[in-house]
């Protein structure tokens, strides 16, 4: 083509250019390393500057808007000020929490975070660490009740978690009517069970959105730091716990460790009986939402994953989550 650049849906930004054009706007000293580390829902770079490590995150243009980014970063800054242990964003020398980048595919947003001390739990969490995580999530929920932000972000409603996710998944199941019917039935049942669930504090408030062992660092003495708030928003606190359950069951985390998370949470913020009664339904909602997010990501970055096994596995897991013995798996 001779009429300009060919359209782009994703570009890998140069580490050197990020060091020169973005990281120099922070008071972090000389940058000695900026290494592309991971491509997930955002691009993640490991940065070394002034003898310290940092994490640089660059959003994808199709995934997050500026208001989405602003809400998340202001929330993390709010939690930092109130001593909730999160990997918080640093401000640029002129006071900004993010830097806009005009990439080929559109606007993207870069944010520099402290490097969470410690490491991911070796071999996944033990009950002590899981209890600590539950405690911390409950304190986060309590603290965030007073958070206010001038911009909106998509709340974690049933319409968003289920209806919008169904619209993403369903086109891939039109030639598999049994699969589509199973998914539609599961979503209908969850919506029926949860249709009148109240949206009022403390049941409804700010959620982290992705609480699991891969988004937590522990030090040797089990001090904890939470990170990756990309899926945060207003939602039900029991959904937060259900999201933990969904990932924990998918990863094979044992019942004793899963129960320790809930015990830790309730040591700070006791749950109501009808919240715990709704845990199974909310866990199914979390599974459907995570499925749609994974599918959207694979469409752009790894379409080869979307074979029949991809959908069979997720439907089989959803069937397990609907069974009376769902917590025994």
């Amino acid at each position: 083509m001779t009429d300009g650049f060919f359209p782009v849906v994703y570009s890998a930004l140069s580490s050197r250019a990020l060091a020169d054009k973005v990281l120099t706007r922070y008071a972090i000293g000389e940058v000695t390393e900026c290494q592309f580390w991971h491509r997930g829902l955002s691009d993640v770079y490991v940065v070394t500057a002034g003898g310290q490590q940092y994490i640089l995150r660059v959003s994808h243009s199709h995934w997050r808007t500026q208001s989405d980014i602003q809400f998340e970063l202001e929330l993390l800054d709010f939690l930092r000020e109130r001593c909730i242990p999160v990997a918080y964003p640093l401000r640029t020398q002129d006071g900004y929490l993010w830097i806009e980048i005009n990439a080929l595919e559109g606007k993207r947003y870069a944010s520099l975070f402290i490097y969470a001390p410690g490491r991911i739990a070796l071999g996944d969490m033990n009950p002590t660490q899981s209890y600590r995580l539950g405690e911390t999530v409950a304190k986060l929920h309590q603290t965030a009740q007073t958070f206010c932000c001038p911009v909106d972000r998509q709340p974690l409603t049933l319409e968003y978690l289920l209806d919008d996710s169904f619209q993403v998944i369903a086109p891939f199941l039109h030639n598999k009517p049994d699969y589509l019917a199973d998914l539609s039935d599961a979503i209908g049942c969850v919506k029926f069970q949860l249709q009148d669930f109240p949206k009022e504090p403390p049941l409804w408030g700010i959620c982290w959105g992705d609480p699991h062992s891969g988004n937590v660092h522990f030090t040797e003495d089990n001090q904890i730091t939470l990170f990756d708030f990309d899926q945060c928003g207003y939602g039900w606190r029991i959904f937060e716990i259900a999201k933990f359950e969904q990932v924990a069951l998918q990863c094979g985390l044992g019942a004793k460790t899963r129960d320790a998370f809930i015990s830790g949470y309730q040591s700070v913020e006791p749950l109501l009986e009808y919240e715990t009664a709704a845990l199974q339904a909310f866990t199914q909602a979390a599974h459907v939402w995570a499925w749609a997010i994974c599918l959207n990501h694979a469409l752009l970055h790894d379409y080869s994953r979307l074979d029949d096994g991809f959908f069979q596995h997720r439907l089989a897991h959803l069937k397990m989550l609907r069974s009376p013995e769902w917590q025994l798996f």
Side-chain angles (χ1 to χ4, degrees):
M1 295 180 66
T2 59
D3 56 347
F5 291 109
F6 197 84
V8 171
V9 295
Y10 168 80
S11 62
L13 303 183
S14 161
S15 294
R16 179 170 294 182
L18 288 169
D20 292 342
K21 298 177 181 297
V22 172
L23 295 174
T24 50
R25 294 181 59 180
Y26 293 90
I28 56 174
E30 181 184 359
V31 177
T32 55
E33 180 184 41
C34 178
Q35 182 66 49
F36 194 149
W37 186 253
H38 178 67
R39 180 188 300 166
L41 296 177
S42 301
D43 288 346
V44 177
Y45 298 76
V46 174
V47 173
T48 303
Q52 300 290 324
Q53 278 196 315
Y54 303 89
I55 293 293
L56 178 68
R57 192 192 69 184
V58 183
S59 67
H60 291 169
S61 64
H62 65 277
W63 175 239
R64 291 300 182 205
T65 65
Q66 179 179 313
S67 60
D68 291 333
I69 299 294
Q70 181 178 344
F71 184 100
E72 176 194 352
L73 298 181
E74 289 196 11
L75 170 63
L76 288 168
D77 199 44
F78 174 91
L79 295 173
R80 174 193 64 82
E81 290 176 346
R82 287 152 182 81
C83 300
I84 299 298
V86 295
Y88 55 85
L90 301 176
R91 292 186 179 272
T92 63
Q93 295 181 75
D94 46 1
Y96 292 98
L97 287 171
W98 70 88
I99 296 173
E100 183 177 289
I101 296 173
N102 288 317
L104 289 173
E105 66 271 30
K107 291 182 179 179
R108 300 174 65 178
Y109 302 93
S111 307
L112 188 67
F113 296 81
I114 67 160
Y115 192 94
R119 57 183 293 180
I120 290 173
L122 185 63
D124 221 317
M125 292 186 298
N126 58 44
T128 299
Q129 292 167 328
S130 186
Y131 187 96
R132 184 85 171 91
L133 178 58
E135 279 184 322
T136 306
V137 171
K139 291 175 183 177
L140 185 158
H141 288 172
Q142 286 182 335
T143 301
Q145 286 290 340
T146 58
F147 173 69
C148 293
C149 186
V151 298
D152 293 327
R153 185 177 168 108
Q154 172 64 57
L156 307 178
T157 62
L158 293 181
E159 292 75 20
Y160 171 60
L161 297 171
L162 295 172
D163 295 338
D164 290 0
S165 295
F166 181 79
Q167 294 303 316
V168 171
I169 301 167
F172 291 86
L173 303 180
H174 282 316
N175 62 342
K176 301 176 177 66
D178 292 343
Y179 288 10
L180 187 60
D182 287 346
L183 176 62
S184 181
D185 179 64
I187 287 176
C189 288
V190 171
K191 289 177 66 177
F192 179 77
Q193 292 176 64
L194 302 178
Q195 60 185 330
D196 297 320
F197 216 83
K199 291 181 184 175
E200 56 190 32
L203 281 68
W204 175 270
I206 292 289
C207 289
W208 174 11
D210 203 13
H212 62 81
S213 59
N215 286 341
V216 183
H217 275 183
F218 291 94
T219 61
E220 290 186 2
D221 60 349
N222 281 334
Q223 296 302 305
I224 190 172
T225 304
L226 316 181
F227 53 88
D228 192 355
F229 278 63
D230 178 75
Q231 295 176 38
C232 70
Y234 285 96
W236 290 283
R237 64 183 183 181
I238 192 63
F239 174 76
E240 186 92 281
I241 294 169
K243 188 64 163 60
F244 171 84
E245 287 281 327
Q246 179 258 324
V247 178
L249 286 164
Q250 184 174 293
C251 296
L253 199 64
K256 185 176 181 180
T257 305
R258 299 198 312 270
D259 291 346
F261 175 87
I262 297 177
S263 295
Y265 188 97
Q266 296 210 90
S267 72
V268 175
E269 188 73 8
L271 297 166
L272 301 179
E273 186 176 344
Y274 67 85
E275 289 183 281
T276 56
L279 181 59
Q280 181 176 11
F282 274 115
T283 303
Q284 293 168 50
H287 175 76
V288 172
W289 184 46
W291 181 356
I293 291 173
C294 182
L295 181 54
N296 270 330
H297 181 74
L299 282 170
L300 283 179
H301 299 290
D302 195 3
Y303 197 91
S304 65
R305 295 180 60 192
L306 304 182
D307 57 10
D308 196 52
F310 175 92
F311 296 96
Q312 283 183 344
H313 173 74
R314 280 154 183 79
L315 280 167
H317 193 72
L318 182 58
K319 182 178 180 180
M320 179 272 287
L321 291 175
R322 300 182 70 187
S323 73
E325 297 81 21
W326 69 286
Q327 287 184 306
L328 300 179
F329 289 88

